[in-house]
Amino acid sequence: QVLPAVSVKLSQWRWLLLIPPAIAIFAVFTMGMGNNLTLSWLGQSLQLGRMDKLSLVAQRSEKLRASARTEEAESDAAAEEARDGATAAERREDSRTALEFSRLARAQALRAVELRAALDTLASFRPAPLPRGARVALGALVEIEDEEGQGQTLFLAPVGAGEEITGPGGDGFFAVVTPASPIGSAVMGRREGESVSTRIRGALREWTVVWVG
């Protein structure tokens, strides 16, 4: 599932995700010199990159939690309406109305259960920054551009597709996709510079992967 193309303004936050690999390389050359300061900064940068992605997970989780609460409330209301929304005589005359409310209540309750299950999945999801040149994997941030140069940034999550979230401090917009979605499946395993294509609503679409982090 793909959201409409949006302008991407990752600015400093985007480059922050590229810092850990660079510092890691520098640390390799300085470890023999006992440079504890470099190692300290390495650990801090890796932790900061992880926390930035965790903030995206937390934002998506909060939206799922709000949706679950809404579905649960509406399910309770529909069940109450089916049970108490009419007199006994009215229910006998129009039993179909009560039946429809009962079905609606069950459907909304089932949807709430699915949302709660998605929340449980995200609770254990801890995506880390990917090094430069890495293949797209679960938890990756992926910038893609179409044939006209229109770009958007994807966040590969295990659940919760079809939502737009923002980066820390409102910096950047991200379309949440899963490996099961058409575009998520297309970009999985790809690297920067590679092209992908898939059909969206019957139309063939092509993109180029311009950044993975």
Side-chain angles (χ1 to χ4, degrees), residues 108-133:
Q108 290 171 321
L110 179 59
R111 175 59 179 159
V113 169
E114 293 172 347
L115 291 170
R116 293 293 179 185
L119 278 168
D120 289 342
T121 298
L122 289 182
S124 59
F125 183 45
R126 295 289 183 271
L130 298 179
R132 191 66 181 267

Side-chain angles (χ1 to χ4, degrees), residues 75 78-79 82 95-110:
S75 175
S95 60
R96 288 178 299 177
T97 299
L99 182 60
E100 288 173 0
F101 275 113
S102 295
R103 288 174 175 170
L104 177 61
R106 287 194 296 270
Q108 290 171 321
L110 179 59

Side-chain angles (χ1 to χ4, degrees), residues 9 15 45 53 56 58 63 71 79 98 101 113 127-128 155 169 186:
K9 55 181 188 66
W15 299 109
S45 297
K53 284 192 177 181
L56 301 181
K63 291 188 176 185
E71 292 290 347
F101 275 113
V113 169
F155 179 43

